[in-house]
Amino acid sequence: MTVATTNDPLLSVANLEVRFGGLRAVADVSFDVAAGEMVGLVGPNGAGKTTTFNVVSGVLSPTGGRITFRGRDITGLSPDQVARAGVTRTFQNVRLFSELSVFENVMMGSCATEPTSVLAALARIGQHRRAEARSRDIALHWIDRLGLAAYASMPAVTLPLGLQRVAEVARALAGQPRLVLLDEPAAGLNPTEKARLSSLLRDVVRDSGCALLLVEHDMPLVMGLVDRVIVLHFGRQIASGPPAEVANDPDVISTYLGA
Amino acid sequence: MGFNSLAQTIFSGLSNGALYAFVALGFSLVNRSTGIINFAQGDLTMLGGMLTAVLAQAGVPLWIAVPVAALACTLVGAVFYQFAIRPARRATMTQLTIMTIGLSILIRGGVVTEWGSDPLSVPAFSGDSPLHVLGISILPQEVWLIGALLAMLLASAWFFQRTMLGLALRASAANPIGASYMGIDPAALGLVAFALAGFLGGLGGAIWSPIYFAQVDVGLGLGLKGFTAAVIGGMSTVWGPIAGGLALAMLEAFTGGFISSSWQDAVLYGAMLVMLLLRPQGLLGKAKPAGAADQEPSTSTRVRRVSLSGNEMGLLGGGVAMVALVPLLFGDVGVGNGIFALIMTIVVVGLVLITGYGGQLALGQGAFMMIGAYSSGCLTVRFGWPPLAAMALGMLLSVLAALALGRVIFRLHGYYLSMSSLAVLMICLTAAREWEFTGGANGIPGIPPFSVGGLVVASDAAFYWLALACAALAGFGALSLARSRVGRALLAVRSSESAARACGVDVVWLKSQVFAFSAAAASLAGSLYVHYLGIANPHPFGVDASIQQITALTVGGYMLLSGAYVGSVVVVALPAAITWLAGAAETQSVAGLQNVCFGALLIALIIAQTSGKWRNVGLPVSLRRSLRRVPVWRRAS
């Protein structure tokens, strides 16, 4: 069912099904994401995009199907296990830690790679010192890289929305993931902020080699950014391919234009 | 066992169950509409009984006394909501729950001061001669109680299903923000919920009091059993608490009948823990839909962080130095009280992390103190272990117990730790009293003074320095935790649990580890306590001690480790001051006055800290102000 490639895909979603009682929010969705690839998940409201997202990130357990990440079955893992496996995410309604500074928020990202142990912190053993040093270094790196240096010591919630989204991206990247899930990264941003975010994402993928899977309503942004688009409609996948190709697909056009 | 005695056991369970159901109904009403776990529910019920008894003894006819008692409790609930809960606008759920603890001991203290703690008898509504039905003897009063419960049940079913106010309460419980957009005022609903809870408590207590006696001591037990009933039955429906109350009373009756009445309570609270493990939504409750866990709690995100600057280190050092001066300034009295304050400090330091940072109200630290105390006691006296080894084993056992309990409790969303830790404490208290190995109520006397190697800590002054060293160790250990990635992760979880999990934080494990740290600290404190007094018995580790620890935490500020020292000193000094002020008054009313003071202090402090009006009132606020935010990271600019 997947496109035959020489390498195994990074993420492989096979025959995913999610039921809420009698409602099938997602029915038989299958797709792959290759390493370093940018994939957009689009579709009208209620198409099952967010549900798919929540299943991949471990917030929901699917009622059927299988999710494989780097050859490992991650179906039904909890969100923190998924993060430690190498998939981090951002939220549609930004969820920065309101009691922490921007810098501390980004440092939190490295909980995916570094242990958080009370015993180690109490004894101040080397493991703990090294974990803190590595967290600090990687947070510094992404804060510099994403242009947040001037805001690092500010409480995260005082930033404007555009910068809060960037800070969330930095936090997700600080976990050194192979795949980042972005849940409507452009929602609520003005055109300038959108353009800036999109060029930032492009740079990030180029630099870190990390793949992106994004849910987004802003079609021009998605079409201009991603390598491949997957279109969902009523919980089913109706098209998949490069943006230019999908934009001309008759099924997709009828879905969006209601023709 | 014949049919008759079986039926009799079931029936006597039924009338107790009706009372538990009353308490549980009040619990779930407040919990469903405000999210608060109302610790005062049992004491409101007790108050209803006491008022009825006092009025009846003053010659007021019962048909007036009972409604007056119920209405008085309604008023207490309403006044408490209007003038305590409502002004505390920025309070976290933990603080609101602590305020209900304040109300609980305020009621208890007031009743003792006013009417003493002896049981008062109340005449039955319609005579004492039992009715005989199918060979079971039934007291008329039991019929009254069950009848009243049925009436309340029908009334609440009608209220929730058929009235606009009931609909509004349900809507607000499901989605307070959405409901407020529809014009429903959540504050008005909170008032209604607390008033109704007071009414249910008062009425239940008034009708129940002729069956047993009205006395002050039943409040706590009733509250815990009511909560247990609500957990067993499930709080999401009206029928849940009722079924839970009946199930609990049956369990109680059969445990008393077949096993042993002294282990009754331990079995009941054990059942609650098992229920939380296996079926947290209760027997009749509905499981939350799969996506529900993703919702953020509406309160508790509002807390502003007290920044962890270099100043906290200085303040903590200052706290230690201040306490170090006590023996010089106050002599022997200072040393004796100072040792108790330091031992309390060690416990409160653990609470700053689990309750202040972790947002989990731990009320059963006495259980871990007992593990430490009895490990030290048993091992040194019976097996001749060196004190240090015994103390270390106690801490290890406490850590393991806390990790095990944490695994069960922290999986659940909501505020289950408060009640279940209290339940664990009650189980430990029963076990210590009933088990021969722990010496029963007499405890284990003859515990040797603490010693390391050949060095014996014999004098009070020497023990003071030992306690100070332990308190400093605990304080600085907690500070390094708070400033590390552990403290950061705790704050992150409190802001947004879902985002913290998405960062890779194993929330259950994190909280369990921090709970284990607080347990180790409490265990250390327990060991020190028994080495100082030379005897281990259950008395000093009961619920009163938990309330004192929570008061110290509130006085010192939830997130200030240095505040743990200040708070403990205040809590130890306050009763001494009250006794001194009260002069030669009899001890009982002094104990009552202490409870009144602690209760009023808790409520007033939290209002001061969270109302936003009296910002400069109270020690914690001014201490907080003295802390200026120092950025963790300066290289950016």
Side-chain angles (χ1 to χ4, degrees):
Chain A
M1 70 179 44
T2 56
V3 185
T5 48
T6 45
N7 298 329
D8 281 342
L10 181 71
L11 174 80
S12 169
V13 174
N15 311 103
L16 195 67
E17 186 205 60
V18 183
R19 287 169 183 273
F20 295 119
L23 174 77
R24 265 175 130 191
V26 172
D28 197 24
V29 166
S30 302
F31 63 88
D32 288 348
V33 177
E37 194 184 18
M38 275 194 267
V39 178
L41 202 55
V42 301
N45 285 327
K49 307 180 297 286
T50 301
T51 305
T52 306
F53 229 69
N54 283 339
V55 171
V56 174
S57 63
V59 175
L60 294 176
S61 285
T63 43
R66 203 175 136 85
I67 304 164
T68 320
F69 181 70
R70 298 172 75 192
R72 177 183 163 201
D73 187 356
I74 60 162
T75 321
L77 290 190
S78 66
D80 49 296
Q81 288 169 327
V82 171
R84 287 198 295 274
V87 183
T88 59
R89 68 171 292 179
T90 65
F91 294 88
Q92 182 184 342
N93 48 343
V94 180
R95 291 182 187 172
L96 287 172
F97 305 121
S98 54
E99 297 176 63
L100 301 180
S101 69
V102 172
F103 179 64
E104 289 170 316
N105 263 280
V106 180
M107 267 182 94
M108 277 302 297
S110 59
C111 284
T113 50
E114 308 293 340
T116 305
S117 153
V118 164
L119 203 59
L122 263 186
R124 296 169 173 240
I125 56 174
Q127 178 208 4
H128 177 251
R129 283 175 198 279
R130 282 193 296 278
E132 287 289 52
R134 276 195 298 263
S135 305
R136 200 169 296 126
D137 290 347
I138 192 134
L140 283 174
H141 170 77
W142 284 115
I143 277 189
D144 269 341
R145 185 70 195 76
L146 299 188
L148 292 168
Y151 315 99
S153 60
M154 285 169 69
V157 282
T158 58
L159 262 53
L161 183 66
L163 288 172
Q164 287 195 20
R165 286 207 191 276
V166 175
E168 250 200 352
V169 172
R171 185 174 71 186
L173 288 166
Q176 292 168 286
R178 295 298 183 86
L179 172 66
V180 177
L181 309 174
L182 301 169
D183 196 354
E184 301 199 22
L189 301 191
N190 65 34
T192 328
E193 288 174 326
K194 277 182 192 172
R196 197 168 158 269
L197 185 74
S198 136
S199 80
L200 215 54
L201 291 177
R202 213 175 277 123
D203 291 351
V204 162
V205 170
R206 198 187 53 219
D207 291 2
S208 65
C210 142
L212 296 184
L213 176 63
L214 66 155
V215 163
E216 185 51 70
H217 275 298
D218 187 319
M219 278 308 167
L221 182 122
V222 178
M223 294 303 187
L225 183 64
V226 301
D227 305 315
R228 199 152 55 85
V229 180
I230 296 160
V231 187
L232 297 184
H233 186 48
F234 283 121
R236 292 185 182 280
Q237 187 177 321
I238 58 168
S240 164
E245 202 176 285
V246 166
N248 294 320
D249 186 297
D251 278 351
V252 175
I253 293 170
S254 75
T255 300
Y256 271 89
L257 301 180
Chain B
M1 179 177 218
F3 168 78
N4 276 358
S5 59
L6 183 70
Q8 187 72 54
T9 308
I10 290 177
F11 188 81
S12 57
L14 204 61
S15 70
N16 271 342
L19 179 70
Y20 299 154
F22 260 105
V23 184
L25 260 183
F27 251 123
S28 77
L29 186 68
V30 167
N31 187 262
R32 283 170 68 196
S33 46
T34 63
I36 297 171
I37 286 179
N38 179 15
F39 269 85
Q41 192 64 39
D43 294 284
L44 283 167
T45 309
M46 177 272 286
L47 184 64
M50 285 302 287
L51 284 172
T52 312
V54 169
L55 288 172
Q57 288 188 349
V60 178
L62 277 177
W63 62 271
I64 296 178
V66 170
V68 167
L71 288 177
C73 291
T74 313
L75 196 64
V76 170
V79 165
F80 175 68
Y81 182 83
Q82 191 66 20
F83 296 103
I85 297 281
R86 196 168 176 178
R89 281 179 299 130
R90 274 179 268 176
T92 59
M93 203 48 86
T94 303
Q95 286 170 312
L96 294 176
T97 306
I98 291 176
M99 283 175 106
T100 68
I101 296 177
L103 176 64
S104 154
I105 57 179
L106 192 62
I107 293 177
R108 212 175 301 160
V111 167
V112 170
T113 318
E114 207 58 38
W115 300 307
S117 55
D118 296 330
L120 304 178
S121 68
V122 182
F125 293 4
S126 48
D128 287 325
S129 49
L131 313 168
H132 292 279
V133 180
L134 294 171
I136 316 169
S137 66
I138 301 169
L139 288 175
Q141 194 65 27
E142 295 178 326
V143 178
W144 276 101
L145 185 61
I146 293 166
L149 178 70
L150 289 176
M152 283 302 114
L153 200 62
L154 290 177
S156 54
W158 171 78
F159 174 75
F160 277 112
Q161 301 300 329
R162 296 293 155 99
T163 66
M164 274 311 282
L165 194 56
L167 181 64
L169 270 171
R170 283 191 294 149
S172 185
N175 184 351
I177 297 172
S180 71
Y181 286 142
M182 299 295 109
I184 297 170
D185 177 7
L189 292 183
L191 184 64
V192 171
F194 268 88
L196 282 178
F199 178 75
L200 282 173
L203 187 67
I207 304 178
W208 184 65
S209 58
I211 301 180
Y212 291 85
F213 291 97
Q215 59 176 316
V216 68
D217 291 341
V218 298
L220 175 75
L222 275 182
L224 256 174
K225 281 177 191 163
F227 177 79
T228 307
V231 166
I232 289 180
M235 293 204 229
S236 56
T237 63
V238 178
W239 304 101
I242 310 235
L246 296 181
L248 188 73
M250 291 299 150
L251 187 63
E252 188 179 29
F254 281 100
T255 313
F258 296 114
I259 305 173
S260 137
S261 57
S262 45
W263 284 90
Q264 245 172 9
D265 286 2
V267 170
L268 297 190
Y269 302 136
M272 172 173 93
L273 294 178
V274 169
M275 201 67 192
L276 286 176
L277 175 66
L278 298 178
R279 200 178 155 79
Q281 74 271 29
L283 286 173
L284 298 185
K286 297 175 204 115
K288 277 186 186 171
D294 194 35
Q295 278 179 2
E296 294 294 320
S298 53
T299 34
S300 93
T301 50
R302 295 260 152 250
V303 216
R304 291 299 322 149
R305 172 185 181 187
V306 178
S307 71
L308 270 180
S309 57
N311 292 350
E312 168 82 333
M313 181 72 98
L315 276 176
L316 190 58
V320 173
M322 189 186 81
V323 182
L325 288 175
V326 167
L328 302 176
L329 295 176
F330 298 99
D332 286 347
V333 183
V335 169
N337 283 317
I339 289 172
F340 289 119
L342 284 169
I343 289 173
M344 187 183 290
T345 304
I346 299 174
V347 182
V348 179
V349 155
L351 287 179
V352 169
L353 282 186
I354 188 69
T355 304
Y357 278 78
Q360 296 287 330
L361 184 55
L363 291 176
Q365 296 304 86
F368 301 117
M369 290 181 82
M370 277 164 80
I371 294 179
Y374 280 98
S375 297
S376 286
C378 290
L379 294 172
T380 54
V381 172
R382 303 230 166 107
F383 303 103
W385 279 40
L388 196 62
M391 182 189 265
L393 185 70
M395 287 169 76
L396 183 67
L397 289 176
S398 295
V399 165
L400 294 178
L403 289 178
L405 186 64
R407 285 264 126 171
V408 179
I409 298 304
F410 297 134
R411 283 183 313 142
L412 308 171
H413 285 256
Y415 297 84
Y416 288 100
L417 182 68
S418 51
M419 277 294 182
S420 44
S421 60
L422 207 47
V424 170
L425 175 59
M426 301 306 263
I427 294 173
C428 287
L429 285 168
T430 309
R433 264 195 295 267
E434 299 300 327
W435 204 13
E436 296 222 348
F437 186 68
T438 53
N442 296 327
I444 304 172
I447 299 171
F450 192 79
S451 61
V452 187
L455 200 68
V456 182
V457 185
S459 73
D460 275 14
F463 198 89
Y464 185 88
W465 297 113
L466 172 70
L468 181 61
C470 289
L473 199 68
F476 283 103
L479 183 62
S480 64
L481 273 188
R483 302 176 82 160
S484 74
R485 52 196 302 108
V486 174
R488 211 179 304 131
L490 283 174
L491 291 174
V493 169
R494 216 168 57 163
S495 299
S496 170
E497 181 160 340
S498 58
R501 299 187 68 173
C503 286
V505 178
D506 183 341
V507 175
V508 175
W509 178 232
L510 176 75
K511 287 181 182 169
S512 301
Q513 286 185 84
V514 174
F515 188 43
F517 171 81
S518 76
S523 176
L524 172 67
S527 292
L528 286 176
Y529 199 99
V530 296
H531 277 296
Y532 177 56
L533 289 187
I535 178 167
N537 64 32
H539 177 69
F541 308 118
V543 178
D544 287 344
S546 294
I547 289 170
Q548 292 187 351
Q549 291 149 13
I550 291 298
T551 311
L553 179 73
T554 307
V555 171
Y558 295 95
M559 308 204 29
L560 274 178
L561 287 161
S562 44
Y565 290 83
V566 181
S568 303
V569 169
V570 169
V571 165
V572 169
L574 197 62
I578 293 168
T579 316
W580 183 66
L581 284 176
E586 72 263 54
T587 45
Q588 191 167 69
S589 70
V590 171
L593 267 179
Q594 279 180 18
N595 270 341
V596 171
C597 289
F598 277 134
L601 183 69
L602 276 178
I603 296 174
L605 267 177
I606 294 175
I607 295 174
Q609 288 165 0
T610 58
S611 68
K613 276 181 192 155
W614 308 305
R615 300 224 64 181
N616 293 314
V617 180
L619 192 57
V621 182
S622 51
L623 265 178
R624 274 172 200 219
R625 288 228 155 162
S626 74
L627 291 171
R628 283 284 168 261
R629 189 180 187 84
V630 174
V632 181
W633 188 66
R634 291 162 193 261
R635 277 191 277 169
S637 45

